[in-house]
């Protein structure tokens, strides 16, 4: 479903909005009300041959344009829609074009895999080439993605909102333990645990496949015929293959509330396996906290039938349909920090206020 909002321009700042879920449009309109601006006039639609067409219906010359783009299930159409809109603003002589993309798509494809490609680098280059002058996003899958851009990138954090939810909505949170479902998530879990003054537990074992354990073509060359080395005296040592131990929970979760933290929850199989393991180890309540709730495929049904008591995500991605399918899914609103970032960038104010107490490892 398209939602194209028509409104008159007010003030000196313009905000253009396109999205696919009508209910989510109201949340972004609330963001605009926080700023005291109206949505810009723009038409976004697809031709009969599925080509995306964008028509800006008012002057943006010498204006600051903030393009807010959510990510739908049809992520490729979403990306093309964003690129065409950015380029349309550029050719219409906008002064600054700032992309507000709470969830950066293709962020998981930020490392080389065999003969694949670093797609997030490609996407960053396309956005810069289209005319983007600044990017506001939230909790990138890897902070190093910021280096793919040659424009300023503000990688905001959702952890203050999730920490506040834990303190206000989990009555006995002092009896909780923060859990990393794999060693790759340990840094995020440690950050939560230190701020809440709680213990930490890490799940490690053969049932957990961390992203870093995937085969990397640069370190695992394809098999070749058994031929001798270039020089008879040259012997290259072989890397011993990994063999994971039986699944283990490092830390005490018996009689405690287990709070699993991560940045993205999409395919929920690893979360379900972690929840079962924690139940077996004696955890009496299990929460899952994540910034981006993609929740693809049968995720709502699987969560509803699982040992997980509650899944808490922010509204960086529209998931109203998933919430209707699974009452365990709860939403934390992060429009406040996005509106503050937009306000500060437009007025040329410092952004350091939004990054208070955030260390290099956060």
């Amino acid at each position: 479903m398209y939602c194209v909002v028509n409104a008159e321009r007010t003030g000196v700042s313009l905000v253009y909005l396109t999205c696919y879920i009508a209910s989510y449009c109201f949340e972004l309109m609330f963001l605009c009300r926080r700023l005291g601006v109206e949505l810009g006039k723009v038409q976004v639609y697809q031709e009969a041959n599925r080509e995306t067409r964008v028509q800006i219906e008012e002057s943006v010359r010498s204006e600051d344009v903030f393009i807010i783009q959510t990510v739908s299930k049809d992520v490729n159409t979403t990306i093309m829609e964003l690129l065409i809109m950015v380029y349309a603003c550029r050719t219409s002589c906008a002064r600054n074009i700032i992309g507000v993309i709470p969830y950066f798509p293709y962020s998981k494809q930020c490392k080389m895999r065999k003969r694949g490609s670093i797609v997030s680098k490609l996407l960053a280059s396309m956005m810069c080439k289209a005319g983007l002058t600044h990017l506001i996003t939230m909790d990138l899958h890897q902070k190093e993605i910021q280096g793919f851009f040659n424009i300023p990138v503000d990688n905001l954090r959702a952890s203050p909102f999730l920490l506040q939810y834990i303190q206000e909505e989990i009555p006995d949170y002092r009896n909780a333990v923060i859990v990393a479902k794999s060693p790759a998530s340990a840094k995020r879990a440690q950050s939560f645990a230190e701020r809440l003054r709680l213990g930490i537990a890490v799940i490690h074992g053969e049932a957990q496949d961390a992203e870093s354990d995937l085969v990397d073509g640069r370190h695992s060359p394809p098999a070749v015929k058994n031929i001798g080395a270039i020089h008879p005296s040259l012997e290259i040592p072989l890397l011993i293959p990994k063999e994971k131990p039986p699944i283990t929970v490092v830390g005490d979760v018996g009689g405690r509330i287990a709070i699993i933290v991560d940045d993205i929850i999409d395919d929920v199989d690893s979360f379900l396996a972690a929840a079962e393991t924690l139940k077996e180890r004696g955890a009496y309540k299990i929460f899952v906290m994540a910034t981006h709730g993609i929740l693809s495929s049968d995720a709502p049904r699987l969560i509803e039938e699982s040992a997980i008591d509650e899944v808490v995500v922010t509204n960086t991605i529209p998931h109203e349909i998933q919430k209707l399918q699974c009452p365990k899914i709860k939403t934390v609103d992060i429009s406040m920090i996005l509106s503050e970032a937009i306000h500060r960038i437009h007025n040329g104010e410092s952004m350091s206020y939004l990054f208070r107490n955030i260390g290099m490892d956060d």
Side-chain angles (χ1 to χ4, degrees):
M1 175 185 296
Y2 289 105
C3 179
V4 180
V5 183
N6 297 321
E8 295 183 358
R9 182 176 64 181
T10 61
V12 294
S13 178
L14 291 179
V15 177
Y16 286 105
L17 164 66
T18 60
C19 65
Y20 289 96
I21 307 299
S23 59
Y24 194 65
C25 291
F26 292 108
E27 294 186 22
L28 292 182
M29 290 173 68
F30 177 68
L31 185 153
C32 295
R33 285 198 295 270
R34 285 181 181 271
L35 293 166
V37 299
E38 298 290 338
L39 296 174
K41 293 180 179 179
V42 61
Q43 288 286 340
V44 182
Y45 58 94
Q46 287 187 336
E47 303 279 8
N49 61 357
R50 306 295 292 172
E51 289 184 358
T52 300
R53 184 176 292 273
V54 173
Q55 183 67 40
I56 298 174
E57 299 184 336
E58 60 182 326
S59 175
V60 297
R61 183 178 294 272
S62 300
E63 296 282 2
D64 289 341
V65 180
F66 291 84
I67 301 176
I68 306 173
Q69 182 66 297
T70 62
V71 176
S72 69
K73 288 186 176 180
D74 190 357
V75 62
N76 296 325
T77 299
T78 300
I79 291 171
M80 282 305 302
E81 183 179 294
L82 171 66
L83 295 174
I84 295 172
M85 188 174 292
V86 169
Y87 190 66
C89 292
R90 176 186 174 185
T91 54
S92 299
C93 301
R95 181 175 61 181
N96 293 307
I97 306 169
I98 299 95
V100 183
I101 310 172
Y103 170 68
F104 188 74
Y106 286 97
S107 59
K108 282 191 173 183
Q109 298 189 45
C110 60
K111 296 180 181 179
M112 180 66 73
R113 303 296 184 200
K114 289 188 176 181
R115 297 174 183 83
S117 60
I118 306 176
V119 183
S120 55
K121 166 63 176 174
L122 171 64
L123 184 55
S125 300
M126 291 168 64
M127 288 182 179
C128 295
K129 189 67 175 178
L132 209 63
T133 60
H134 200 130
L135 175 67
I136 302 173
T137 186
M138 179 164 284
D139 280 340
L140 289 170
H141 185 59
Q142 297 288 343
K143 296 188 292 294
E144 292 76 11
I145 293 175
Q146 295 174 83
F148 295 161
F149 292 85
N150 55 15
I151 58 174
V153 177
D154 287 308
N155 181 28
L156 303 176
R157 305 297 197 275
S159 52
F161 298 92
L162 297 176
L163 290 169
Q164 183 181 30
Y165 183 92
I166 293 173
Q167 293 173 318
E168 295 180 356
E169 302 297 332
I170 303 179
D172 196 21
Y173 83 93
R174 289 293 180 189
N175 187 36
V177 59
I178 306 299
V179 179
K181 68 180 180 66
S182 69
S185 307
K187 279 190 176 181
R188 178 178 293 269
Q190 181 182 359
S191 176
F192 273 69
E194 289 176 351
R195 283 170 166 77
L196 294 169
R197 277 65 172 175
L198 298 177
I200 184 173
V202 180
I203 299 176
H204 176 59
E206 58 185 6
Q208 302 298 320
D209 291 325
E211 184 181 1
S212 59
D213 291 330
L214 296 177
V215 176
D216 191 324
R218 295 170 297 175
H219 299 145
S220 303
V224 296
K225 295 180 180 179
N226 186 17
I227 59 177
I230 298 175
H231 194 278
S233 63
L234 178 63
E235 293 185 4
I236 301 175
L238 295 176
L239 187 64
I240 300 173
K242 290 184 178 181
E243 184 176 344
K244 290 191 175 182
I247 192 164
T248 307
V249 178
V250 182
D252 181 22
V253 297
R256 312 283 288 278
I257 299 173
I259 303 176
I260 306 172
V261 296
D262 212 337
D263 62 331
I264 300 172
I265 176 169
D266 185 7
D267 182 8
V268 297
D269 290 342
S270 60
F271 290 92
L272 302 184
E276 290 295 333
T277 301
L278 294 171
K279 276 290 186 183
E280 293 173 2
R281 299 301 194 278
Y284 72 90
K285 214 166 190 181
I286 299 173
F287 291 80
V288 174
M289 315 283 291
T291 302
H292 309 295
I294 302 176
L295 302 169
S296 302
S297 190
D298 291 334
R301 178 182 62 80
L302 295 173
I303 292 171
E304 185 66 24
E305 297 172 355
S306 72
I308 297 173
D309 293 282
E310 197 168 283
V311 173
V312 182
V313 294
T314 70
N315 55 353
T316 57
I317 298 175
H319 52 264
E320 294 301 320
I321 295 177
Q322 289 89 331
K323 287 179 68 176
L324 294 175
Q325 298 172 344
C326 177
K328 291 182 179 180
I329 300 173
K330 308 297 181 183
T331 306
V332 176
D333 179 35
I334 46 85
S335 63
M336 182 184 300
I337 192 171
L338 290 177
S339 60
E340 183 65 23
I342 292 172
H343 173 80
R344 287 175 175 272
I345 290 174
H346 175 65
N347 292 318
E349 299 175 7
S350 172
M351 294 287 287
S352 60
Y353 176 79
L354 303 180
F355 294 94
R356 293 169 300 167
N357 301 322
I358 294 177
M360 293 294 293
D361 294 332
D362 290 330

